[in-house]
Amino acid sequence: MRFNSTYFHNFRNLQPERLSWSSGLNLITGHNGAGKTNFVEGLNVLSGWGPLEGRERISSLVKWFSDGREESASLWGRVSGEDELEVFASLSTRCSLKYANKTIRASEMRNRLPVLSFLSEHVSLVKGGASYRRQMLDRVGALVSPSYAKRLYDYRKAYRQKSVLLRRRRDTALVDRLIVPMGSWIWSAREEICRMMKSALVEFESLLSVPMELVFKRGGAGSFSDPLDDFKASLQMKKEEETTSRLSLVGPHRDDIKLLCGKRAASIVLSRGQCRRAASALILASALVVERVLGRKPIMVFDEITSELDDSGKQVLFDVLSNVDYQTFAVTTEDCPHRGATMYRMQEGRFV
C-alpha cells in the first residue's frame, strides 16, 4: 500500500495543504518544532493506530493554535496498491475512521492499511528494556492476526486483576484459570512472529555490522516446549514466590527477545550507531513479515531516523530504504540528501 496524497485540517500545528508523495523513500527535513513529528503522527492516526503516545487524548490532537471556533480535526488520504480508495479520520473527543466511504473500526483500518511507525527511541529495541521488544511483537501481531489485539487486551485485564489480588494477599486460582489459555496463546503467536522475523532478518544483513540472532524467551517459563503445559507448570513452580513478592512472575508481560551477536548480547557488542542500524533491520524484518502474512505491502514511518548515525551509516540506511519495495516516510532535523529519496522540507507546520 502507499499514500498517493494526503490532506490534514486543524491537526496539531500543521497548515492545511494537499500533498503528493513518492511511492518510495520520502525524506522530510526541518528544524525542531517544524511539525515533522506531527505529520508522522497524522499518518499513524489515519491508519488506525491513534496518537504516537498511546495514552494521549484524541482531543489533544486538534490544532494547537485554534481560536476555539473549531473543535475537531480531519485527516484524509488517497491510497493505492492492493486497493485504490480514500481513507478518512475525524477527530474530536474520539476518532472516527472511514475506509472506502464506510465507517470501520481501528483494527480493520490497521489490517487494510498496514502502517508501521517508529519513534526516535526505536534504538531501544536493541539497547533498551524488554518492553520495547514486546511492543514490536505486539504491533506486528495486531497487524497479522485479527484476534491478537483482543487476546492481548483480555490478558492484560486479567493480569491487572491478578496483580491486585497478589497485593491484597488473596487467592489467585480463579484468575489463573483465565490467564493460562490466554497467555499460552499469546506465547504461541509471539514465538511464530519471532520465527518469521528471524527468517526475514536475513534480507537486511547489509544493515548489520555483525550477524545477529533472535531468540524468543517466554516470561518466567521455558521448561516445557508446549506453551500451555509450560504456563501451568511455571505457575505452580512460582506460586510461593509470587505470593511472597506480590508480583505476577509468569506470562507474556515478562516476555523478551534475546538479541545475540555470537553468544554475547547485541547491546554489549554493538555501538549506539550500530544498534540504530540493527534496530532499523529489525523494523524492516517486521515489515516483511507483515507483507508475507497479509499479502499487502506495509507503509514505513520513521521519526528522527538519522540520530546517532555517522555519514556512512546514513548512506547505508538510505540505500536500503530506497531499494525496499515499501513506501517510506522518514523525518530528520539533518539535511542529508540521498539520490534515492524524494526530499521535502518543513517550516512552521508547512511544507516549503
Side-chain angles (χ1 to χ4, degrees):
M1 301 295 288
R2 61 182 180 272
F3 284 105
N4 291 332
S5 55
T6 58
Y7 180 85
F8 297 170
H9 175 70
N10 210 38
F11 183 81
R12 293 289 201 188
N13 76 327
L14 301 182
Q15 299 298 316
E17 52 187 332
R18 180 164 177 159
L19 301 159
S20 298
W21 302 104
S22 163
S23 60
L25 174 58
N26 297 276
L27 189 57
I28 303 168
T29 64
H31 298 301
N32 291 328
K36 305 184 304 300
T37 300
N38 293 336
F39 172 74
V40 166
E41 185 158 44
L43 296 180
N44 208 59
V45 171
L46 190 55
S47 59
W49 287 108
L52 289 173
E53 299 294 338
R55 296 183 179 180
E56 193 168 9
R57 292 185 177 183
I58 293 294
S59 58
S60 69
L61 304 180
V62 177
K63 189 173 179 65
W64 292 342
F65 308 119
S66 174
D67 59 10
R69 288 178 295 175
E70 292 187 89
E71 298 179 352
S72 64
S74 58
L75 310 174
W76 171 90
R78 182 178 294 279
V79 299
S80 62
E82 290 77 14
D83 289 322
E84 296 194 16
L85 36 79
E86 295 180 347
V87 292
F88 180 81
S90 177
L91 291 73
S92 53
T93 56
R94 58 187 297 272
C95 180
S96 175
L97 298 168
K98 287 187 177 181
Y99 184 96
N101 230 12
K102 295 180 180 180
T103 300
I104 64 172
R105 293 174 297 183
S107 58
E108 293 178 286
M109 181 69 88
R110 293 194 295 262
N111 185 263
R112 298 185 182 192
L113 180 60
V115 171
L116 289 166
S117 302
F118 293 89
L119 299 177
S120 58
E121 59 263 29
H122 77 258
V123 68
S124 298
L125 285 171
V126 179
K127 276 196 172 294
S131 62
Y132 292 99
R133 293 178 285 279
R134 288 196 296 269
Q135 288 170 15
M136 178 179 66
L137 288 173
D138 292 340
R139 187 164 285 254
V140 176
L143 287 176
V144 302
S145 173
S147 59
Y148 185 94
K150 178 64 167 59
R151 299 255 189 159
L152 185 63
Y153 173 84
D154 290 342
Y155 172 81
R156 287 172 172 169
K157 185 177 179 180
Y159 160 70
R160 288 193 295 269
Q161 292 174 342
K162 179 174 180 176
S163 297
V164 170
L165 292 173
L166 285 169
R167 288 195 297 269
R168 294 177 179 177
R169 297 191 179 279
R170 302 279 295 277
D171 182 63
T172 64
L174 185 59
V175 73
D176 280 341
R177 292 177 193 170
L178 298 174
I179 284 177
V180 168
M182 290 187 290
S184 58
W185 186 93
I186 294 169
W187 274 351
S188 295
R190 285 179 174 177
E191 285 174 338
E192 178 61 14
I193 292 168
C194 194
R195 184 194 65 78
M196 290 188 290
M197 285 188 62
K198 184 176 181 179
S199 173
L201 191 62
V202 176
E203 302 292 327
F204 306 104
E205 287 183 336
S206 60
L207 284 171
L208 302 173
S209 52
V210 293
M212 186 170 67
E213 183 181 3
L214 281 66
V215 180
F216 179 75
K217 185 178 183 298
R218 295 175 187 167
S223 300
F224 298 89
S225 58
D226 180 76
L228 187 60
D229 292 341
D230 201 19
F231 212 123
K232 291 178 180 177
S234 299
L235 278 179
Q236 188 62 36
M237 285 188 294
K238 299 199 175 184
K239 184 175 180 61
E240 184 176 344
E241 188 179 352
E242 285 190 335
T243 301
T244 302
S245 66
R246 303 190 195 184
L247 296 173
S248 179
L249 302 176
V250 179
H253 59 286
R254 298 176 67 88
D255 288 352
D256 196 4
I257 301 176
K258 288 187 175 181
L259 304 174
L260 304 174
C261 294
K263 295 184 178 181
R264 301 179 65 193
S267 58
I268 297 174
V269 174
L270 303 179
S271 68
R272 288 197 65 84
Q274 291 171 328
C275 283
R276 171 71 67 173
R277 286 170 54 175
S280 299
L282 288 171
I283 292 167
L284 287 166
S286 70
L288 187 53
V289 170
V290 171
E291 179 187 0
R292 288 172 174 174
V293 176
L294 289 185
R296 291 172 179 255
K297 294 183 183 296
I299 297 167
M300 307 296 296
V301 180
F302 295 89
D303 186 29
E304 293 301 339
I305 193 172
T306 58
S307 175
E308 299 176 320
L309 290 179
D310 58 19
D311 290 341
S312 174
K314 293 171 190 174
Q315 291 306 308
V316 170
L317 178 57
F318 288 150
D319 285 344
V320 172
L321 293 177
S322 297
N323 291 323
V324 295
D325 195 17
Y326 302 136
Q327 185 182 43
T328 302
F329 294 88
V331 306
T332 176
T333 56
E334 304 177 66
D335 286 320
C336 41
H338 185 269
R339 63 184 181 280
T342 302
M343 303 294 298
Y344 302 83
R345 183 165 182 81
M346 288 198 74
Q347 183 176 332
E348 297 181 351
R350 183 182 294 278
F351 286 86
V352 295

